[in-house]
Amino acid sequence: MSTKGNSKENGEDPLIRSFSVDHPEQPPIHIAELPTPVVEALRTTGRDVNHIQLAVKSDLGPDGQFGEQWLLMDQHELLVLDRPNGRAYQRHQFKLDDIEDAKIERCVGNGLMQVTVGQQPHVLLHYSNDLTDRFGRVAHYLQERAEHGPETPVPNPNDDSHVCLNCGRYLADPSSKVCPSCIQSGKILKRLVMQAKPYWGAVGLILLLLVGGALVNLIPPRLTGVLIDDVLSEGGRPELLLWLVLGLLAIRVTDVGFTIVKNWLTINVSGKFTAGLRDDLFTHLKGLPVDYFDNNQTGRIMTRINQDTSELQGLFSQMTTFALNLLMVLGIGIALFSMSPALGLYVLIPTPFVMAAAYYYYRYMRPHFRRFWVARWRLNAMLNTFLSGVRVVKAFAQENQEQARYQQRNSQMLNSQLQVNLAWGKFFPLISFAFSAGGLIIWYAGGRAVLANEITVGMLMAFIGYLGMFYGPLSNLTHVTQAMNRFVTISQRTFELLDEPVQAQPERPVSKPEIAGSIRFDHVTFGYDPYYPVISDVSFDIKPGEMVGLVGHSGAGKTTLVNLLCRFYDVTRGAILIDGVDIRDLSMNEIRQQVGMVLQSPYLFRGTLAENIAYGNPEATYAEIVRAAKAANAHDFITAMPEGYDTIVGEGGSGLSGGERQRISIARAVLHNPRILILDEATSSVDTETERQIQEALNELVKGRTTIAIAHRLSTLHNADRILVLNEGKLEEQGTPKELMKHQGAFYNLVQMQSQMARIDGSTANL
Ligand SMILES: Nc1ncnc2c1ncn2[C@@H]1O[C@H](COP(=O)(O)OP(=O)(O)OP(=O)(O)O)[C@@H](O)[C@H]1O
Ligand SMILES: [Mg+2]
């Protein structure tokens, strides 16, 4: 990791400056540059700023008020400096090797970081919640260092997702990882070319057709010249007229033929290429770990896969137009100069102006374009959120607010679009004017040359013909940079998704076609953020065929624990073993075939009920589906529906009640017939009678399989072989229900609480 801790004499706030968009010349910032007082404080204590490996700024002072403190680390020490009123002094100093543990804690409105030294906790500093991630990374590093020693790589705690990965500047468009100025166009284009390898032949053919088309188009003005000079003039050869006209016709026909074939090829190649890319993206997407989907908005992923690729397709066609235009400009330029070098020069007079104007136009427009893209993305994201939350919006009567937000974003998009288009609307007539003025020069200079008998009228007409074809493609070429920018930006985003690391799969998975079903959690620690353990140091064994109840307060980590077993997430520390094999050494497919899950919030896909039940086994017969539905006590309500098993449910299962959805998902698990069955609150949304019936069905189902059942209603677990009690991510108790009741510990208290509630409700809780 690079070390930079040089002082800045101007005293600006370095963090704010490093996030500013207007400093493209700045070098990459991995460590926030230190302000002068901090550097001086380091010097006076005899330390070298160049040895600082990590520097994180807090926005709160030691008193918890707004202020500034710095957490610094060199190879041996951890320091905390306070910087009140332009001075800095050291508040804490610890040897890294003495630090036994480190953690951050969330408080109301702010957080604090704490280290343990000599078994004594020391609060280092406070910070506002915005900085949680940064200090969390430092704490995580210190924990790792305490465990694995000084070799632990030092992280870059200031690396936030909303800043450019390359230069650390603030990202205007958060759907990309690097800022537009850090995109390496060359590399991306090369990769795009490699990606298009199967189409190289077709692209070569397109290029040939383009060259052919350009050449063919160069002929007619020449023929016009011949027509005027040799056929229509006095003493000309009128018998050539028909031949010339036929020649022109043949040229047009050839041109049309070339264009049709070229268009056909372009449409096919660009369509197939982008469809292939979409396939690749989806293939990649499905292999991404669940936390990618936790962290990325659905709308954003959809934009990348659908919108970006179709835009890429459009740009692809635009590129062929550019290539044609470039060829035309070159060809016509050569033709003009070969006819009359002097007149050729006149043609070039407006060219530099046009090019310069175009250059400045796009430089000026670039931020406007970007603003427009971001506005469009935000509008999409907002619509997406609205659509997925429409019921909440209506329930809380927030339609008007949502509408206001939509209108606001829509008008932002309109404004940025107007800016782009209005600027273009001004620019384009000006360019056209420059071109037509160029044409007038030729009329004048060419006319004089004709009068002076230097060139023929036919030549002048040919010249003017070429001129008409010259400026059009030239002005079109001024789009090139814009289109190229867009092309590269979109490709970059597409590649970013393709480069997103997929969940690690073992290279040579251990094959376990038939598992017995023993489960072992071996000192498992896990956090959705690695520095916030949700499960800490949990160890237990489950024997094959055992039925285990998992209980605990809401948020204790029960769902998380079973998610780990399915490898939706990977453990941070420790290991999970199925039949003695680390699940990271089993193939993902095998795990999911052997482990069946009834999710806490079951999801049904749009389709018939039968299809939904058979989701995991599409080849299941109708009889099997019905048997599974009967086992889950779903058969009766299904047949009561007019369309029975062919009833179509909406996305997410709309059209069914919560309990019905649960029963469908139980039926799905029954049909899946796994060795290990996980029931996460499988009967939470049904009434007591239905619950009893499902329970009976489940009792059948769990026979001979390892089962982990999570339940809030403890009464449903009375026939569990064993109960595990989870509390704040830690395993608090385990034993048979009887033992635990006798022991009068956590489980006993939970049961007591529930039976009191039940007495108040007047309902029954039979534990
Ligand atoms: N995808 C996620 N990203 C970040 N944090 C999460 C995520 N899912 C759950 N958590 C957090 O992890 C903790 C444990 O959640 P979990 O869903 O495992 O609890 P639970 O015991 O199943 O609770 P409940 O009984 O309410 O279902 C909670 O504090 C929750 O906020
Ligand atoms: Mg849960």
Side-chain angles (χ1 to χ4, degrees), residues 13-218:
D13 188 325
L15 271 186
I16 292 177
R17 197 154 43 73
S18 70
F19 288 163
S20 146
V21 195
D22 300 317
H23 287 78
E25 74 284 1
Q26 274 196 26
I29 292 168
H30 293 309
I31 292 186
E33 287 169 17
L34 299 174
T36 318
V38 171
V39 174
E40 272 161 14
L42 286 175
R43 284 214 187 104
T44 47
T45 52
R47 291 189 178 86
D48 185 347
V49 275
N50 292 320
H51 289 164
I52 297 293
Q53 291 187 320
L54 181 152
V56 190
K57 188 177 93 161
S58 150
D59 47 3
L60 298 181
D63 51 359
Q65 302 293 319
F66 184 72
E68 183 179 322
Q69 295 186 80
W70 284 83
L71 186 143
L72 306 170
M73 199 186 88
D74 64 12
Q75 270 163 326
H76 309 290
E77 281 177 322
L78 183 74
L79 305 172
V80 176
L81 274 73
D82 183 19
R83 186 199 166 194
N85 313 322
R87 287 177 38 250
Y89 66 90
Q90 186 175 310
R91 289 191 56 230
H92 295 287
Q93 174 191 5
F94 292 104
K95 284 220 159 27
L96 289 177
D97 291 341
D98 294 344
I99 296 177
E100 293 148 9
D101 195 11
K103 65 174 178 181
I104 56 173
E105 268 180 35
R106 288 181 217 240
C107 314
V108 182
N110 63 54
L112 62 84
M113 184 167 167
Q114 180 180 309
V115 289
T116 310
V117 175
Q119 302 194 334
Q120 287 290 319
H122 299 268
V123 174
L124 290 182
L125 42 61
H126 290 258
Y127 49 82
S128 74
N129 279 343
D130 288 348
L131 302 176
T132 304
D133 279 356
R134 297 187 183 184
F135 286 98
R137 287 188 194 114
V138 179
H140 181 60
Y141 164 74
L142 291 173
Q143 283 168 7
E144 293 280 308
R145 193 183 188 279
E147 194 170 322
H148 302 293
E151 301 306 312
T152 315
V154 181
N156 170 14
N158 300 317
D159 166 18
D160 292 346
S161 54
H162 56 277
V163 299
C164 171
L165 271 187
N166 191 36
C167 67
R169 256 174 277 132
Y170 184 72
L171 280 179
D173 174 3
S175 60
S176 202
K177 282 188 179 165
V178 295
C179 64
S181 33
C182 285
I183 291 181
Q184 292 178 303
S185 315
K187 259 194 189 157
I188 290 183
L189 288 179
K190 194 168 154 200
R191 184 159 168 196
L192 211 60
V193 170
M194 292 315 291
Q195 188 97 12
K197 200 166 179 177
Y199 305 103
W200 282 2
V203 172
L205 202 56
I206 292 177
L207 287 177
L208 274 182
L209 286 168
L210 285 174
V211 173
L215 287 177
V216 165
N217 268 304
L218 286 177

Side-chain angles (χ1 to χ4, degrees), residues 106 290-291 293-295 526-529 532-535 550-563 569 600 680-681 710-712 726 728-729:
R106 288 181 217 240
V290 178
D291 58 356
F293 301 94
D294 290 347
N295 297 331
F526 169 78
Y528 294 96
D529 296 335
Y532 269 129
V534 172
I535 299 289
L550 189 57
V551 301
H553 292 290
S554 179
K558 305 179 294 292
T559 301
T560 308
L561 198 86
V562 292
N563 278 344
Y569 304 90
Q600 187 164 16
D680 193 352
E681 303 280 357
I710 300 176
H712 269 131
L726 214 57
E728 291 186 1

Side-chain angles (χ1 to χ4, degrees), residues 650-667:
E651 193 184 331
S654 63
L656 292 186
S657 77
E660 287 166 348
R661 261 178 248 170
Q662 275 187 332
R663 278 177 278 168
I664 296 289
S665 82
I666 294 174

Side-chain angles (χ1 to χ4, degrees), residues 292-511:
Y292 178 81
F293 301 94
D294 290 347
N295 297 331
N296 287 280
Q297 266 182 324
T298 317
R300 184 190 295 183
I301 303 177
M302 280 175 59
T303 307
R304 292 224 179 158
I305 295 190
N306 291 336
Q307 196 172 307
D308 280 3
T309 46
S310 32
E311 203 168 328
L312 214 52
Q313 184 179 354
L315 286 166
F316 202 76
S317 313
Q318 216 177 331
M319 289 296 158
T320 59
T321 316
F322 285 137
L324 180 63
N325 286 333
L326 187 67
L327 289 170
M328 289 301 287
V329 165
L330 286 177
I332 293 173
I334 294 170
L336 288 177
F337 272 90
S338 64
M339 279 164 65
S340 160
L343 283 186
L345 279 179
Y346 282 120
V347 174
L348 290 183
I349 291 175
T351 308
F353 296 108
V354 172
M355 291 317 229
Y359 175 74
Y360 282 106
Y361 169 77
Y362 285 115
R363 237 179 93 126
Y364 162 75
M365 284 314 291
R366 215 185 291 162
H368 294 291
F369 278 126
R370 220 170 284 153
R371 222 165 285 148
F372 167 65
W373 295 327
V374 172
R376 190 173 60 181
W377 171 76
R378 280 168 51 97
L379 189 71
N380 275 342
M382 140 95 218
L383 190 60
N384 193 286
T385 315
F386 170 78
L387 289 178
S388 18
V390 67
R391 282 184 181 75
V392 183
V393 173
K394 286 188 183 290
F396 288 87
Q398 290 295 304
E399 288 100 330
N400 289 341
Q401 272 83 339
E402 290 292 320
Q403 184 179 2
R405 278 176 52 195
Y406 189 83
Q407 277 172 348
Q408 189 207 353
R409 294 199 175 181
N410 196 11
S411 70
Q412 276 171 358
M413 187 173 108
L414 174 69
N415 285 340
S416 50
Q417 197 175 21
L418 282 181
Q419 267 176 340
V420 169
N421 290 343
L422 289 178
W424 178 241
K426 261 187 289 181
F427 173 74
F428 191 71
L430 286 177
I431 284 213
S432 304
F433 167 74
F435 290 153
S436 50
L440 292 178
I441 299 176
I442 297 300
W443 274 105
Y444 182 72
R448 280 180 67 105
V450 173
L451 290 176
N453 269 337
E454 286 164 20
I455 57 169
T456 61
V457 180
M459 235 161 132
L460 179 64
M461 294 317 288
F463 222 93
I464 287 169
Y466 278 133
L467 208 59
M469 292 158 55
F470 181 67
Y471 289 132
L474 193 68
S475 73
N476 191 283
L477 281 180
T478 52
H479 278 294
V480 154
T481 41
Q482 176 209 354
M484 273 310 264
N485 260 336
R486 191 78 190 128
F487 200 58
V488 170
T489 311
I490 294 184
S491 312
Q492 155 88 15
R493 295 209 315 215
T494 308
F495 289 143
E496 261 173 23
L497 181 54
L498 282 179
D499 292 343
E500 204 60 57
V502 293
Q503 196 170 14
Q505 288 257 30
E507 248 171 51
R508 254 180 275 141
V510 178
S511 184

Side-chain angles (χ1 to χ4, degrees), residues 562-633:
V562 292
N563 278 344
L564 291 175
L565 183 58
C566 292
R567 248 200 113 188
F568 286 162
Y569 304 90
D570 276 335
V571 299
T572 315
R573 251 175 282 165
I576 300 173
L577 296 91
I578 293 182
D579 278 13
V581 183
D582 191 321
I583 55 170
R584 283 168 293 194
D585 296 331
L586 290 170
S587 87
M588 210 78 85
N589 253 350
E590 223 150 76
I591 300 175
R592 308 234 162 109
Q593 243 149 39
Q594 310 278 9
V595 182
M597 200 168 181
V598 177
L599 297 173
Q600 187 164 16
S601 35
Y603 188 88
L604 301 192
F605 293 92
R606 198 186 150 69
T608 66
L609 290 177
E611 281 164 1
N612 265 295
I613 295 175
Y615 186 72
N617 311 52
E619 68 286 354
T621 62
Y622 193 73
E624 285 170 331
I625 293 175
V626 173
R627 205 177 311 135
K630 279 187 177 156
N633 201 6

